[in-house]
Amino acid sequence: ELMDAEQVRRVVHCRLGARGPEPNPCVWQRTNLPLVEAQLLRQRVRYVRPDGGAHKLVPDRFGFGCGFSAYHYVGTQGSKRGNVDVDIVVVEMPKAGSQAGSYADRMWRTYDAHRQLSLGRCLPHVYGVDDSAEDATRFYFEYSQSRAASTLLSRAARRRSGAVLGESSATFKHWIAEILKAMIELHTMSGYECVTRARLLTLDNIFISNEGSVVKLGQLAWGRRIDGTSVPILRATAERNAALLQSFADIVDDLLLTAAGAEEAASDGGDGGGTAAVKVFHEADAAAGVYVSPGDVFEVILACPARRSVLWHYPEVVTPSRGTEANPYERGQPARLLGGEVGHTVPRDTDDTTCRVRFVAQRAGRCELQFPCFSPQDKGAVGASLIVPVVVHAARVSPTLTAILRCCRARVSETSEQDAAVFPLSIVSLATHDYFTQSPEPSLDEVMSAYTAHFA
């Protein structure tokens, strides 16, 4: 199951469907504007009034309000079958005051971003805006009784029920398929920056409702427009594609890691002195991710820089954010350095062209090895020249899914002579892989039943 870069390429890229052109959200918005406007007209609500006559404040789980108050109201939508009452979230933005001035741009940007995605299902829909009042502008959004996936999974883990949300679970299969569809809609339709390598999507951005059958995105930070003004459109979409792929890989791993029982199934790693074979990862392969099991010993082999004064140093083990509630690492890091001290120089091998660093996987979890490479004479701050994602799975994950996730989060060392993308991949083309297309989709009854077993 230990695959190098070429084997991963065959497992993933040779099993993709035909790849079309990279999505251009500006073209998509221009082409589909009449359909978007027609959908907005159908969804618009009238006769908006408080639910049950009470001005009821509600938690702004999806981040509609940008700091403004959100309320649970009822509105009337017209349809071919007649009028129907629907629950809505009303965000009231004052037209005067310091708060209005500092958050108004964010509020209008958030509303417009949701408006652009009216033909999709990845976000709650907008139901209109009322600017007629003198004191406040009212924004109407779809109401959804959802919970963040991070909240669901952390609560299940705390119960220690022993149930693992494994790869064969109907809930897991449905969620990753829906998350992938949502990311594709976001990438294809949205003309705003919303996810970057520095601000990835996490379990906090995944919202679940209807007994596990409905998956939506939320709490997105809508940035500047993708219109070619500040950054060329192709570059902006390529950067968003890379960020979405890495987000997808991290979220899928965290779904498997954070589920109830994952910590219990993990065994404490020893000192690496056992007789088990050491798993070896060369620099380019390690940059795409190291997948191991608790107790495994693994090595990362690094190519020595041409300048002898530039040296690799032992890395820091860093735990990335997995969401505000889904962080079960109080018992220690998933991986531990063996035979070296953080920040010290890594000795060269006898061939003088490589050096190696050994680790032991201690428990289920995800972390990053941040390797600095610099000359001792260098001055100023020194960042990581190579970042190696490490995922320690207690439950077995199929080689195909592992290869897909490695392709999604592929990175390259600054000292590497390879191209900037070892595994060029598109979030859109990923959905054509036979892992997603040939596996039978679970029925909603199966999804709801598995969801109840895991989280009820």
Side-chain angles (χ1 to χ4, degrees):
E1 295 184 10
L2 201 58
M3 293 184 282
D4 60 21
E6 178 58 25
Q7 290 171 313
V8 168
R9 189 194 68 80
R10 289 199 300 268
V11 168
V12 178
H13 290 275
C14 295
R15 290 161 63 178
L16 294 174
R19 180 170 181 173
E22 192 66 22
N24 185 320
C26 295
V27 173
W28 192 96
Q29 287 294 328
R30 286 198 303 267
T31 304
N32 293 278
L33 181 60
L35 296 177
V36 171
E37 295 298 332
Q39 180 73 352
L40 289 170
L41 189 62
R42 285 191 294 270
Q43 293 173 342
R44 186 171 299 159
V45 294
R46 298 168 288 120
Y47 312 125
V48 175
R49 64 272 188 198
D51 180 37
H55 204 57
K56 191 183 301 181
L57 195 67
V58 294
D60 186 14
R61 290 191 173 91
F62 285 91
F64 300 137
C66 302
F68 298 110
S69 298
Y71 301 91
H72 184 188
Y73 275 52
V74 174
T76 301
Q77 282 181 334
S79 66
K80 295 180 179 179
R81 299 179 181 178
N83 294 333
V84 59
D85 288 343
V86 294
D87 293 316
I88 63 173
V89 173
V90 176
V91 176
E92 293 186 352
M93 182 182 73
K95 291 185 176 180
S98 58
Q99 188 185 31
S102 59
Y103 291 102
D105 287 344
R106 280 180 57 198
M107 187 67 242
W108 281 108
R109 191 162 60 242
T110 297
Y111 180 83
D112 189 49
H114 282 73
R115 182 198 63 80
Q116 288 186 349
L117 288 146
S118 294
L119 296 180
R121 297 186 302 169
C122 65
L123 297 178
H125 291 139
V126 294
Y127 286 163
V129 60
D130 180 6
D131 199 30
S132 61
E134 293 184 2
D135 60 336
T137 302
R138 289 181 167 186
F139 299 87
Y140 303 148
F141 294 90
E142 177 185 359
Y143 178 81
S144 174
Q145 289 186 312
S146 302
R147 285 190 289 178
S150 57
T151 302
L152 284 171
L153 292 165
S154 63
R155 289 178 181 175
R158 283 196 292 267
R159 288 201 303 267
R160 307 297 188 189
S161 60
V164 178
L165 189 67
E167 192 177 352
S168 61
S169 165
T171 300
F172 175 79
K173 291 179 179 179
H174 179 71
W175 283 3
I176 64 169
E178 291 299 301
I179 291 169
L180 182 56
K181 292 175 187 176
M183 289 184 173
I184 290 172
E185 286 185 358
L186 192 68
H187 189 44
T188 303
M189 301 179 187
S190 178
Y192 287 92
E193 290 183 356
C194 50
V195 53
T196 65
R197 286 275 196 168
R199 191 179 64 244
L200 299 173
L201 301 182
T202 71
L203 293 175
D204 281 344
N205 301 109
I206 309 299
F207 289 84
I208 311 297
S209 62
N210 290 29
E211 298 183 81
S213 62
V214 176
V215 179
K216 291 186 182 294
L217 303 178
Q219 293 291 344
L220 300 177
W222 302 104
R224 59 192 175 189
R225 281 183 174 273
I226 298 177
D227 55 10
T229 303
S230 53
V231 178
I233 294 175
L234 290 179
R235 178 183 167 189
T237 54
E239 290 176 351
R240 182 163 70 182
N241 175 71
L244 285 170
L245 285 169
Q246 185 175 343
S247 297
F248 180 75
D250 290 349
I251 288 170
V252 170
D253 276 324
D254 287 343
L255 285 174
L256 294 169
L257 290 169
T258 317
E263 280 291 290
E264 302 299 331
S267 62
D268 290 331
D271 60 2
T275 58
V278 177
K279 295 185 176 181
V280 177
F281 297 86
H282 289 271
E283 182 179 332
D285 297 330
V290 169
Y291 281 76
V292 288
S293 300
D296 284 350
V297 178
F298 62 95
E299 275 185 348
V300 177
I301 298 182
L302 307 167
C304 293
R307 287 175 52 200
R308 292 193 61 84
S309 61
V310 178
L311 305 170
W312 285 105
H313 293 70
Y314 285 108
E316 184 179 1
V317 181
V318 178
T319 301
S321 172
R322 298 170 59 188
T324 54
E325 295 196 51
N327 193 5
Y329 290 139
E330 23 334 304
R331 295 170 56 196
Q333 290 281 13
R336 178 166 54 86
L337 177 66
L338 295 176
E341 292 188 35
V342 175
H344 288 209
T345 303
V346 180
R348 294 179 177 235
D349 292 339
T350 54
D351 62 5
D352 208 33
T353 61
T354 59
C355 55
R356 61 190 66 216
V357 184
R358 183 170 291 192
F359 304 84
V360 61
Q362 297 189 116
R363 65 185 73 259
R366 181 162 63 84
C367 61
E368 290 180 345
L369 311 177
Q370 298 187 355
F371 287 87
C373 185
F374 61 94
S375 170
Q377 286 74 41
D378 291 342
K379 297 181 179 180
V382 178
S385 300
L386 172 68
I387 297 178
V388 176
V390 176
V391 184
V392 185
H393 276 300
R396 184 182 182 277
V397 180
S398 69
T400 300
L401 180 57
T402 299
I404 288 173
L405 299 180
R406 289 187 66 204
C407 283
C408 287
R409 61 160 59 93
R411 292 183 182 180
V412 180
S413 160
E414 292 178 2
T415 62
S416 172
E417 297 180 355
Q418 300 192 32
D419 293 335
V422 179
F423 308 119
L425 188 64
S426 161
I427 192 73
V428 176
S429 65
L430 180 61
T432 68
H433 193 280
D434 57 26
Y435 181 86
F436 300 102
T437 60
Q438 294 186 7
S439 301
E441 291 188 13
S443 67
L444 290 184
D445 286 341
E446 292 174 321
V447 172
M448 293 178 178
S449 176
Y451 176 86
T452 301
H454 289 305
F455 305 109

